[in-house]
Every structure is written in C-alpha cells, then in structure tokens.
Amino acid sequence: GYQLHVLVLTQAEMQALCTGRHFAWAKVALLRWLLSEDEAEVDAAVGPEAARVLRSRIDAGARAAIRGADWVVWLDADLMV
C-alpha cells in the first residue's frame, strides 16, 4: 500500500512558501506544515501565506494520509534513477 502525492508549485507559490529564503526551504516548510497539530501552530510554524499555499495543494484527506504514514520519501525534481 503505497500512495504518491505530487506537489509541483509555481514560482510565486515557492516564493510564498519560502518567505524570502532559498527555495530549499520549501522542504522544511512542507514538513513543518505536515507535522503541525493545529491551525494556530501551522501559522506559527510556516506563516499564514505558506499555509494557504499548502492547503490549496494538499487537501485534508491527503494530509491525514501522509501524517499517518510510517515513511515519507521526498523526490526532488532533479532526481535521477
């Protein structure tokens, strides 16, 4: 039972997610958002704009599935297999 959740963001969404940091920060923001327990914690962890972007791309059901997983694997766009 594996699931694949693809998240491809526009440049503007990446900028909102990274809040002025290097785009590598997106990984940190995504994990903080996934692991936060409640909405107030989410806003504090990643900021309201980043949380809005992530909520618009990953619905509550997918977020719950990811949070319940034993493993989360991150594959960068430049991955070579």
Side-chain angles (χ1 to χ4, degrees):
Y2 294 96
Q3 293 182 8
L4 174 65
H5 297 278
V6 177
L7 179 64
V8 179
L9 302 174
T10 66
Q11 183 174 352
E13 289 171 325
M14 284 291 287
Q15 288 171 332
L17 192 62
C18 297
T19 60
R21 297 176 178 94
H22 187 278
F23 277 3
W25 178 256
K27 296 171 193 163
V28 175
L30 175 60
L31 289 173
R32 282 182 166 183
W33 180 76
L34 286 171
L35 300 175
S36 295
E37 294 293 329
D38 59 40
E39 293 306 310
E41 187 177 310
V42 167
D43 285 352
V46 299
E49 183 63 16
R52 183 198 61 75
V53 168
L54 291 169
R55 276 194 293 278
S56 74
R57 293 302 195 117
I58 301 175
D59 65 32
R63 184 178 180 205
I66 294 167
R67 289 176 56 94
D70 290 330
W71 298 92
V72 174
V73 177
W74 178 281
L75 303 175
D76 277 331
D78 59 353
L79 172 73
M80 291 181 62
V81 180

